[in-house]
Amino acid sequence: MSVEFADRKKTATSLTGRVIAAYGRHFEVEVARGTVYSCVVRGKKKGVVCGDEVEILPAAGDQGVIETILPRTSLFYRSEIFREKLIAANATQLIFVLAVVPSCNLELLDRCLIAAESQRIRSLILLNKIDLIEQNEHTQVVAHHLMSYQELGYPVLKISAKTSVQPLIPLLSGQTSLLAGQSGVGKSTLLNALVPQAQQTTAEISNALDSGRHTTTHVRLFHLDADSSIIDSPGFQEFGLQQLDEESLARGFIEFRPFLGQCKFRDCQHIAEPGCKLLQAAQEGRFNSWRVACYHKLVKSLKKIHPWMEASKRA
Ligand code: GDP
Ligand code: ZN
């Protein structure tokens, strides 16, 4: 991580605020409700992200410079081998949105749950567009999978954002919720139903920044009430987890936790090692097969391979 936390020497004129919008190298920082500064970051400091608490130095008019990022309670981000994409800071809850159409990408769901677990962010799974549900084989498979996540302890809520977002509202109270999911699942529809001015704000920013030439991906925080807010992030099709080591990867699968730390090898990766308690539990049918397969796929994609595996590859 390249985030720098500058020393917290406060100058007489600096203000503390929250980043409520991040687009490229421009940030909107709210220092009091309704008082927003348009900011850039001083020097080469990187890594300011929507949701960050920051100290800014006001300049002319409503302009300002971000001087310091205050310590975070969480950072939700994805990391591919050559690229890191910070998404939001200080979120307390991830809302992963899936929809009946386009079909559910469970690997993407698992990846986001793992990223959230590693930052101690709780997760809520939201199945949208249930008005389109037809009783067929596909929907039965989806229902079965979602039931399994519920059994693991993740709340699953089924809604039709077009009809009513009412069932979601109590679950947002007191949280900084981060909306995530593939494009087309209905995140904008959901957000517009929750925050009526969201559509206008988004359109204004697109007009101001893009001039119709290109699309800037941006992340924005909206207040729901005095202590609840929601962060909207651009849809994504992939979610790299290269930031995690093997241990946090395995811990990201919450059902694996009771079995961790008991394998024969202390640094067991639970792939094919002898004396692996996790594999034993998997063979006993204690986990969902697709979660184990997902774990294996992810752990093998990490760069470091256990020496035992190296030896077995040569054997
Ligand atoms: P986003 O890319 O995740 O922001 O998705 P959008 O909010 O743009 O929605 C994608 C499409 O799904 C749009 O045509 C929406 O009108 C539609 N949509 C969103 N929510 C629902 C829903 O609950 N039911 C139905 N039938 N369509 C929906
Ligand atoms: Zn093991």
Side-chain angles (χ1 to χ4, degrees), residues 24-96:
R25 284 190 238 163
H26 297 268
F27 303 91
E28 282 183 16
V29 178
E30 187 180 54
V31 297
R33 190 62 85 89
T35 309
V36 176
Y37 283 84
S38 175
C39 295
V40 289
V41 179
R42 180 179 298 284
K44 285 189 184 156
K45 198 191 304 155
K46 282 190 207 149
V48 177
V49 57
C50 188
D52 261 329
E53 300 282 345
V54 293
E55 283 174 358
I56 67 160
L57 210 54
D62 63 355
Q63 307 289 305
V65 177
I66 296 175
E67 297 265 285
T68 313
I69 306 170
L70 301 182
R72 294 161 170 153
T73 57
S74 71
L75 178 64
F76 189 79
Y77 67 108
R78 46 187 252 232
S79 174
E80 279 86 48
I81 287 178
F82 296 110
R83 205 169 82 106
E84 209 160 60
K85 181 91 182 145
L86 306 185
I87 300 169
N90 300 319
T92 58
Q93 168 167 269
L94 168 75
I95 302 180
F96 189 88

Side-chain angles (χ1 to χ4, degrees), residues 263-265 268-271 273 275-279:
C263 303
K264 183 173 171 189
F265 295 110
C268 184
Q269 292 185 349
H270 327 296
I271 297 176
E273 296 90 332
C276 173
K277 295 291 181 201
L278 197 96
L279 289 173

Side-chain angles (χ1 to χ4, degrees), residues 128-129 131-132 159-162 182-189:
N128 187 29
K129 308 195 193 181
D131 55 303
L132 297 180
I159 65 161
S160 165
K162 260 192 171 169
Q182 267 177 289
S183 303
V185 291
K187 292 190 302 303
S188 316
T189 309

Side-chain angles (χ1 to χ4, degrees), residues 93 95 122 124 126 155 157 167-175 177:
Q93 168 167 269
I95 302 180
R122 66 185 209 169
L124 166 69
L126 194 70
L157 190 68
L168 177 62
I169 291 174
L171 297 164
L172 303 174
S173 177
Q175 303 288 330
S177 303

Side-chain angles (χ1 to χ4, degrees), residues 10-315:
K10 245 184 170 175
T11 60
T13 48
S14 74
L15 297 169
T16 303
R18 188 167 202 195
V19 177
I20 56 164
Y23 25 86
R25 284 190 238 163
H26 297 268
F27 303 91
E28 282 183 16
V29 178
E30 187 180 54
V31 297
R33 190 62 85 89
T35 309
V36 176
Y37 283 84
S38 175
C39 295
V40 289
V41 179
R42 180 179 298 284
K44 285 189 184 156
K45 198 191 304 155
K46 282 190 207 149
V48 177
V49 57
C50 188
D52 261 329
E53 300 282 345
V54 293
E55 283 174 358
I56 67 160
L57 210 54
D62 63 355
Q63 307 289 305
V65 177
I66 296 175
E67 297 265 285
T68 313
I69 306 170
L70 301 182
R72 294 161 170 153
T73 57
S74 71
L75 178 64
F76 189 79
Y77 67 108
R78 46 187 252 232
S79 174
E80 279 86 48
I81 287 178
F82 296 110
R83 205 169 82 106
E84 209 160 60
K85 181 91 182 145
L86 306 185
I87 300 169
N90 300 319
T92 58
Q93 168 167 269
L94 168 75
I95 302 180
F96 189 88
V97 189
L98 297 154
V100 173
V101 189
S103 67
C104 300
N105 182 337
L106 289 183
E107 186 178 324
L108 202 60
L109 167 64
D110 281 333
R111 286 170 176 264
C112 286
L113 293 178
I114 293 159
E117 290 294 341
S118 77
Q119 293 286 314
R120 295 189 168 80
I121 300 171
R122 66 185 209 169
S123 296
L124 166 69
I125 301 170
L126 194 70
L127 179 69
N128 187 29
K129 308 195 193 181
I130 49 159
D131 55 303
L132 297 180
I133 215 154
E134 286 168 26
Q135 288 313 320
N136 58 33
E137 213 175 309
H138 169 66
T139 54
Q140 276 169 12
V141 171
V142 170
H144 166 74
H145 279 126
L146 292 185
M147 181 87 79
S148 307
Y149 285 95
Q150 207 154 15
E151 283 165 5
L152 291 179
Y154 292 111
V156 176
L157 190 68
K158 298 173 186 176
I159 65 161
S160 165
K162 260 192 171 169
T163 319
S164 170
V165 292
Q166 211 58 39
L168 177 62
I169 291 174
L171 297 164
L172 303 174
S173 177
Q175 303 288 330
T176 299
S177 303
L178 171 65
L179 271 184
Q182 267 177 289
S183 303
V185 291
K187 292 190 302 303
S188 316
T189 309
L190 195 67
L191 187 70
N192 293 330
L194 291 168
V195 190
Q197 77 273 22
Q199 197 158 24
Q200 194 191 344
T201 315
T202 310
E204 280 167 10
I205 294 171
S206 304
N207 285 343
L209 288 177
D210 296 347
S211 321
R213 279 179 290 118
H214 61 276
T215 312
T216 307
T217 52
H218 51 261
V219 182
R220 192 166 188 97
L221 179 145
F222 297 93
H223 296 289
L224 297 168
D225 59 37
D227 56 5
S228 322
S229 49
I230 191 156
I231 301 177
D232 182 34
S233 70
F236 44 76
Q237 300 296 342
E238 54 168 7
F239 197 99
L241 288 171
Q242 292 298 328
Q243 72 267 33
L244 300 181
D245 58 21
E246 292 87 344
E247 200 179 328
S248 18
L249 188 62
R251 285 193 62 75
F253 290 78
I254 50 175
E255 68 274 41
F256 293 176
R257 288 180 187 174
F259 302 92
L260 298 175
Q262 300 169 29
C263 303
K264 183 173 171 189
F265 295 110
R266 274 194 62 199
D267 55 351
C268 184
Q269 292 185 349
H270 327 296
I271 297 176
E273 296 90 332
C276 173
K277 295 291 181 201
L278 197 96
L279 289 173
Q280 189 186 328
Q283 271 157 15
E284 288 165 4
R286 293 176 187 246
F287 310 128
N288 294 308
S289 55
W290 77 88
R291 294 269 290 177
V292 177
C294 181
Y295 168 73
H296 281 155
K297 181 175 171 184
L298 291 175
V299 79
K300 285 174 189 166
S301 74
L302 297 180
K303 281 161 279 175
K304 221 176 85 216
I305 296 286
H306 189 286
W308 185 86
M309 291 302 296
E310 289 289 67
S312 77
K313 268 198 295 185
R314 283 193 296 272

